[in-house]
Amino acid sequence: MDIHVNDILKMKKPHPCGSGEWLVLRVGMDFKMRCQGCGHEVMLPRSKAEKNIKKVFRDGQPVENL
């Protein structure tokens, strides 16, 4: 899966604050992401993050061909 820094990820399950969108801050073996609702930052293993991604937005447009 081709994820870049500053992509917005729409996840399958929402964050407890109610937002389901996350800003990618760092990629590698782990993803560092910031919740777009409350600003909470988390690091997730790549495998777990990729499994939970519903849609990817780059520059405000949905990314096709993941």
Side-chain angles (χ1 to χ4, degrees), residues 1-3 9 31 46 49-51 53 56 66:
M1 192 172 274
D2 191 29
I3 304 295
L9 305 179
F31 285 169
R46 177 181 278 270
E50 286 181 347
K51 187 169 45 173
I53 294 172
V56 178
L66 291 177

Side-chain angles (χ1 to χ4, degrees), residues 3 7 15 17 20 22 25-26 29-30 39 41 45 49 58 61-62 66:
I3 304 295
D7 284 354
H15 188 247
C17 73
W22 295 79
L25 302 174
R26 192 185 116 193
M29 286 300 292
D30 297 319
E41 291 185 8
R58 190 169 294 142
Q61 301 297 320
L66 291 177

Side-chain angles (χ1 to χ4, degrees), residues 6-38:
N6 292 325
D7 284 354
I8 301 290
L9 305 179
K10 176 98 170 131
M11 304 302 268
K12 290 180 182 175
K13 292 183 181 178
H15 188 247
C17 73
S19 175
E21 296 185 347
W22 295 79
L23 174 67
V24 178
L25 302 174
R26 192 185 116 193
V27 294
M29 286 300 292
D30 297 319
F31 285 169
K32 185 172 185 179
M33 304 184 300
R34 180 183 300 138
C35 176
Q36 292 295 90
C38 65

